[in-house]
């Protein structure tokens, strides 16, 4: 099952067992499945559980685990936790207290909200550490786990149910249009075929303006039934805005299109911000208003006094306007506005000007993390 030295998800069946396996989960040097057995005074790196039960949970929640992220507005609700916290899997096993969710091209493994601290004879080593794995490695390792479970448990009752579920999932993943539909449903926080058709169809229609990545980012920013309406309002607010900025400098910054499997967006953002400072000839210190103007080719007084057309919306946005960008801002105070504009520039770097549309939100996607880190490092380099 292990194709990646960083992310390992393995199962070993004791002799005579047709289902219950010794399952281990590892990210780098961090073993998520490490258990202390106080009665036996031993430590082991695996838990014992139904392999088919665990495989059914991963397969049933495949799309939401792979594409749904944290909105960043509040603590995750019960529905979100049931789909992302491993200890919500059925079977009565002592599951690792970890939640799994997408941040874009990477998958996050973070401590569960409830932390699931157990005072019994067996308990997990609790850690605040958040681990990241490249989505392609996550998918490959899960596929290996599914194949191993089917090879060992295919004749069991749950094995037959798992086979049917995996066949359906494979069909969805291999069909581009169906996969895109499932992906958008998951970004919105819905299970398969549960998202309202009118919301889905409206968002698909908006891809002509916002692009596929913009629509997905809007779904992350405002998941649920109001996603399409929120995006329409953000587009209108951008078109009505008096803020026009030039983001052509963003195209001059070099940025790798792919992260290493467990690299952080802030590392790339820090390098991009330093490169921009090098281009404008200000390597250290505070950017004064004249230097800030030079980045956007717009007068600071105009930027500062412009109406915040997105002040009542869930997120800010920008849209292409004849080679310039028209920006719907949320902030009114000068220092907040500098940061928000720097985030919009960072988003143009992230997108490499592919769509001409961008969103600044509170979600926890890598795209939003990159914006925030870029703005911090541009305005306050340390």
């Amino acid at each position: 099952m292990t194709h990646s030295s960083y992310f390992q998800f393995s199962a070993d069946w004791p002799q005579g067992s047709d289902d219950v396996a010794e399952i281990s989960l590892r990210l780098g040097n961090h073993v998520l499945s490490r258990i202390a057995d106080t009665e036996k005074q031993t430590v082991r790196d695996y838990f014992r559980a139904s392999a088919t039960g665990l495989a059914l949970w991963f397969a049933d929640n495949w799309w939401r685990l792979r594409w749904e992220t944290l909105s960043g507005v509040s603590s995750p609700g019960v529905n979100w936790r049931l789909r992302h916290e491993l200890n919500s899997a059925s079977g009565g096993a002592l599951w690792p207290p970890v939640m799994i969710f997408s941040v874009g091209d990477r998958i996050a493994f973070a401590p569960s909200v409830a932390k699931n601290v157990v005072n019994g004879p067996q308990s997990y080593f609790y850690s605040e550490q958040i681990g990241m794995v490249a989505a392609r490695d996550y998918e490959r390792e899960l596929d290996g786990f599914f194949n191993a479970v089917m090879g060992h448990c295919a004749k069991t009752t749950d094995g037959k149910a798992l086979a049917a579920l995996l066949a359906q999932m494979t069909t969805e993943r291999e069909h581009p249009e169906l996969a895109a539909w499932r992906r958008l449903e998951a970004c919105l926080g819905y299970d398969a075929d549960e998202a309202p058709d009118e919301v889905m169809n409206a968002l698909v229609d908006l891809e002509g303006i916002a692009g596929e990545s913009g629509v997905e980012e809007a779904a992350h920013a405002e998941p649920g039934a109001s996603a399409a309406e929120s995006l329409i309002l953000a587009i209108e607010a951008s078109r009505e805005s008096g803020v026009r900025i030039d983001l052509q400098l963003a195209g001059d910054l070099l940025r790798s299109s792919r992260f290493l499997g467990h690299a952080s967006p802030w590392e790339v953002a820090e390098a991009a911000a330093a490169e921009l400072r090098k281009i404008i000839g200000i390597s250290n210190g505070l950017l004064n208003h004249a230097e800030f103007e030079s980045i956007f080719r717009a007068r600071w007084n105009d930027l500062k006094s412009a109406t915040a057309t997105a002040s009542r919306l869930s997120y800010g946005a920008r849209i292409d306007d004849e080679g310039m960008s028209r920006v719907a801002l949320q902030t009114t105070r000068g220092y907040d506005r500098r940061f928000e504009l720097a985030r919009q520039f960072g988003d143009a770097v992230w997108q490499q000007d592919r769509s001409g549309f961008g969103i600044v939100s509170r979600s926890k996607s890598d795209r939003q993390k990159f914006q925030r880190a870029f703005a911090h490092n541009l305005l306050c380099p340390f």
Side-chain angles (χ1 to χ4, degrees):
M1 278 179 283
T2 301
H3 300 273
S4 167
S5 60
Y6 182 75
F7 177 48
Q8 299 178 14
F9 188 13
S10 61
D12 294 308
W13 285 266
Q15 187 174 0
S17 173
D18 61 352
D19 183 18
V20 175
E22 297 173 348
I23 303 169
S24 65
L25 187 59
R26 178 191 298 268
L27 273 78
N29 296 323
H30 187 203
V31 182
L32 301 177
S33 53
R34 180 163 292 166
I35 294 178
D37 191 322
T38 55
E39 287 187 347
K40 297 181 179 179
Q41 294 186 338
T42 59
V43 174
R44 67 175 189 266
D45 289 346
Y46 59 85
F47 60 94
R48 296 184 181 94
S50 164
T52 50
L54 182 59
L56 281 166
W57 184 84
F58 271 105
D60 192 42
N61 297 303
W62 172 268
W63 292 103
R64 291 184 66 175
L65 288 168
R66 174 61 187 88
W67 294 109
E68 187 178 14
T69 191
L70 285 166
S71 67
V73 176
S74 60
S75 298
V78 173
N79 179 273
W80 190 96
R81 292 176 60 189
L82 286 172
R83 299 297 182 267
H84 294 274
E85 289 196 358
L86 186 53
N87 51 28
S88 68
S90 62
L94 182 61
W95 303 108
V98 61
M99 58 184 185
I100 306 167
F101 57 92
S102 171
V103 293
D105 289 334
R106 301 185 302 162
I107 303 297
F109 287 76
S112 122
V113 172
K115 298 183 177 61
N116 197 31
V117 176
V118 179
N119 296 319
Q122 296 180 350
S123 61
Y124 285 97
F125 284 78
Y126 179 73
S127 172
E128 293 285 353
Q129 180 178 345
I130 297 178
M132 295 285 182
V133 61
R136 60 183 179 277
D137 292 337
Y138 168 85
E139 292 185 11
R140 189 165 53 194
E141 197 74 357
L142 260 292
D143 286 338
F145 176 72
F146 292 145
N147 290 335
V149 173
M150 287 308 305
H152 194 91
C153 311
K155 295 181 180 180
T156 66
T157 301
D158 285 345
K160 295 175 183 177
L162 177 61
L165 183 57
L166 290 176
Q168 176 184 341
M169 187 182 77
T170 299
T171 299
E172 292 171 347
R173 290 170 65 186
E174 292 178 349
H175 191 288
E177 291 185 4
L178 185 53
W181 188 269
R182 290 284 182 259
R183 175 173 169 171
L184 183 54
E185 286 176 324
C187 290
L188 288 168
Y190 289 104
D191 293 332
D193 294 326
E194 290 193 1
D197 286 342
E198 61 273 18
V199 175
M200 292 291 292
N201 290 325
L203 287 172
V204 171
D205 289 342
L206 290 169
E207 288 181 359
I209 300 172
E212 184 176 342
S213 64
V215 167
E216 287 183 5
E217 204 64 25
H220 288 317
E222 182 74 9
S226 61
E229 181 183 359
S230 294
L231 180 54
I232 291 171
L233 291 174
I235 292 171
E236 291 175 350
S238 300
R239 288 172 171 166
E240 294 170 0
S241 175
V243 179
R244 290 182 84 239
I245 56 177
D246 190 330
L247 299 176
Q248 290 186 24
L249 275 178
D252 295 335
L253 302 187
L254 300 177
R255 177 188 167 272
S256 172
S257 61
R258 291 183 180 272
F259 293 120
L260 296 176
H262 45 283
S264 297
W266 68 262
E267 295 175 296
V268 187
E270 183 178 26
E275 188 175 352
L276 177 57
R277 277 182 162 262
K278 183 178 179 181
I279 290 174
I280 64 176
I282 311 294
S283 58
N284 295 302
L286 178 71
L287 294 178
N288 62 36
H289 291 327
E291 293 158 350
F292 192 77
E293 288 177 344
S294 70
I295 296 174
F296 299 97
R297 295 184 174 90
R299 294 177 65 247
W300 170 245
N301 285 338
D302 294 338
L303 297 175
K304 181 178 65 173
S305 61
T307 302
T309 56
S311 62
R312 296 173 181 255
L313 304 185
S314 300
Y315 49 83
R318 78 175 196 281
I319 196 167
D320 182 69
D321 181 22
E322 298 180 351
M324 301 282 283
S325 290
R326 199 171 284 275
V327 183
L329 296 170
Q330 293 191 292
T331 57
T332 55
R333 291 178 294 189
Y335 53 85
D336 289 335
R337 185 156 287 192
R338 279 167 61 101
F339 188 76
E340 186 175 7
L341 286 165
R343 283 188 66 179
Q344 289 286 4
F345 191 98
D347 190 65
V349 177
W350 176 273
Q351 284 294 93
Q352 291 290 284
D353 248 2
R354 288 191 296 267
S355 69
F357 181 84
I359 284 173
V360 167
S361 77
R362 297 181 181 88
S363 82
K364 304 297 185 182
S365 70
D366 272 349
R367 180 171 173 176
Q368 299 300 318
K369 291 177 184 177
F370 179 88
Q371 293 174 14
R372 289 189 281 266
F374 177 87
H376 277 302
N377 283 280
L378 177 64
L379 300 176
C380 301
F382 288 99

